[in-house]
Amino acid sequence: MYAQSSGEQAGPLSRPVPWRRRSAPYRAGRRGGGGFHGQVRLGRRGLAIGIDIGGTKVAAGVVDAEGRILSEARRTTPGTDPRAVEQVIVELVEELGRGQRIRSVGIGAAGWMDLDGGTVLFSPHLAWRNEPLRANLQQLLRRPVLLANDADAAAWAEWRFGAGQGEDRLVCITLGTGIGGAMVMDGRVERGRFGVAGEFGHQIIMPGGHRCECGNRGCWEQYASGNALGREARILARSNSPMAQDLLAAVGGRVETITGAVVTELALAGDTASRELIEEVGEWLGLGLANLAAALDPGLFVIGGGLCSAGNLLVEPARKAFARNLTGRGFRPAAGIELAALGPNAGLIGAADLSRVSSRVRH
């Protein structure tokens, strides 16, 4: 993957390449020698290290070819200095690699990577601006390195080992502070023409609505994210509604400390107001998914991220709203909507697996 011309990109992050061409349709869950899964599983049994870089922590793990994490390590994200982050990555790889034969390293981080997969164009949590991260790390680590957007890595992991197995056209949505997204289409991560596809949270779903950090108004993530849930709960609490009594009691009357996580915990414990708030978020989620289905026509939506700890309290309203708003409803097949299976480790697992697969590809 690292001996290629500018503008090209090897393996499952790329446009179709010869090693994944096929003469007949396949399903991602098929075993054996044919199709993409056969290519991945044959001759790619070595270990890889996956690293998930967040705004507060760097998580790493040794991952085998079946997506199992064999050992883990973590560090606090060392501020925003690119060199300091690189040094933490080197330390983690050295620690986890002792006594192991590590074939490759995959790095997943929030941000935009160029189509060549070598440069971080922009990362919201770190001071990476046009940073040639892959070249820097390959020189330090002396191993093949793959860079991936964290949502792309998580989607790949769910397609390979989680809730998306068996589906050729998968869209992953991650619900946290905002909304992230990624697509796996016919055995590759679809990144768009410029490498920045998947910003689903910034589709404008309510013109003139809440101001978003991106600068626009009415973005989907302002209505169907953990931040949106917390905001609406605080509005309810400040209204002195009797429905908010349990919410206020849970935070000792400190309205400003009500978060989406607090609301979710209360909802799971049976609080009526919290359940209604999550239902509203689920309805906005389903509306946005219907818009994506009209544009992308996937077979399955996999919903991950911290907000998904609400489970069916969130997903069932989303399914109903999706069915109610789907264009051509009643006359077309509809995508499924399922919760992600791999939890917070999906990005780490996906980055490792992508690096293992891509490191075997040569142009």
Side-chain angles (χ1 to χ4, degrees):
M1 71 177 262
Y2 39 89
Q4 52 192 299
S5 61
S6 176
E8 292 182 333
Q9 188 183 11
L13 292 174
S14 69
R15 300 178 180 87
V17 291
W19 62 270
R20 56 165 293 274
R21 287 175 185 157
R22 56 198 183 279
S23 58
Y26 71 98
R27 304 298 291 173
R30 181 195 293 178
R31 300 295 184 262
F36 177 75
H37 257 264
Q39 293 283 351
V40 169
R41 291 180 175 275
L42 293 177
R44 292 181 171 85
R45 310 303 296 184
L47 302 177
I49 290 177
I51 298 176
D52 187 6
I53 303 174
T56 59
K57 71 177 184 302
V58 181
V62 177
V63 181
D64 69 12
E66 302 298 325
R68 293 179 295 239
I69 299 176
L70 306 182
S71 58
E72 296 179 78
R74 295 189 176 213
R75 296 284 193 281
T76 300
T77 303
T80 60
D81 176 43
R83 303 290 84 77
V85 176
E86 289 175 13
Q87 187 55 44
V88 165
I89 292 171
V90 171
E91 291 174 4
L92 286 167
V93 172
E94 289 178 348
E95 176 183 337
L96 292 171
R98 291 190 188 104
Q100 306 270 24
R101 186 177 179 183
I102 304 298
R103 293 186 177 274
S104 58
V105 176
I107 311 290
W112 298 337
M113 318 302 173
D114 69 349
L115 278 176
D116 179 55
T119 300
V120 183
L121 302 176
F122 169 79
S123 178
H125 303 312
L126 303 162
W128 287 338
R129 305 292 186 270
N130 294 311
E131 183 72 22
L133 186 61
R134 186 178 66 192
N136 295 348
L137 288 174
Q138 285 185 163
Q139 184 175 7
L140 292 168
L141 297 174
R142 302 298 179 185
R143 289 185 177 93
V145 173
L146 174 134
L147 301 183
N149 172 271
D150 55 355
D152 289 342
W156 180 263
E158 290 291 342
W159 180 75
R160 284 273 279 132
F161 309 112
Q165 291 184 83
E167 177 52 60
D168 290 345
R169 303 189 69 79
L170 172 71
V171 171
C172 245
I173 303 294
T174 55
L175 306 176
T177 301
I179 296 179
M183 300 172 283
V184 180
M185 302 293 184
D186 295 329
R188 62 187 177 95
V189 176
E190 176 54 65
R191 301 181 58 218
R193 173 61 181 85
F194 302 106
V196 296
E199 295 293 334
F200 303 138
H202 297 290
Q203 59 170 306
I204 295 176
I205 206 165
M206 176 61 73
H210 293 293
R211 176 74 69 181
C212 183
E213 292 179 358
C214 76
N216 289 330
R217 287 187 179 273
C219 291
W220 189 28
E221 68 176 41
Q222 293 301 312
Y223 298 87
S225 65
N227 270 7
L229 178 61
R231 182 196 65 230
E232 293 303 305
R234 290 190 295 273
I235 291 172
L236 178 65
R238 291 190 182 105
S239 73
N240 293 318
S241 168
M243 289 186 64
Q245 288 182 356
D246 288 343
L247 265 172
L248 285 166
V251 296
R254 294 171 296 165
V255 174
E256 69 279 2
T257 65
I258 297 175
T259 64
V262 169
V263 179
T264 300
E265 184 177 348
L266 288 172
L268 291 170
D271 177 54
T272 300
S274 296
R275 288 190 171 211
E276 288 184 3
L277 287 165
I278 288 178
E279 182 176 349
E280 289 177 8
V281 168
E283 290 173 354
W284 282 110
L285 174 61
L287 175 59
L289 294 179
N291 289 345
L292 292 178
L296 302 174
D297 191 29
L300 179 67
F301 290 103
V302 171
I303 313 299
L307 190 53
C308 285
S309 58
N312 283 330
L313 295 178
L314 175 75
V315 173
E316 283 306 316
R319 287 177 176 140
K320 291 177 182 178
F322 175 77
R324 189 167 61 247
N325 291 285
L326 182 64
T327 183
R329 54 193 174 276
F331 297 95
R332 57 166 289 176
I337 302 173
E338 299 293 340
L339 288 168
L342 300 178
N345 288 324
L348 184 160
I349 294 168
D353 195 65
L354 280 166
S355 76
R356 180 193 296 104
V357 175
S358 294
S359 68
R360 294 296 299 265
V361 179
R362 297 291 185 271
H363 280 273

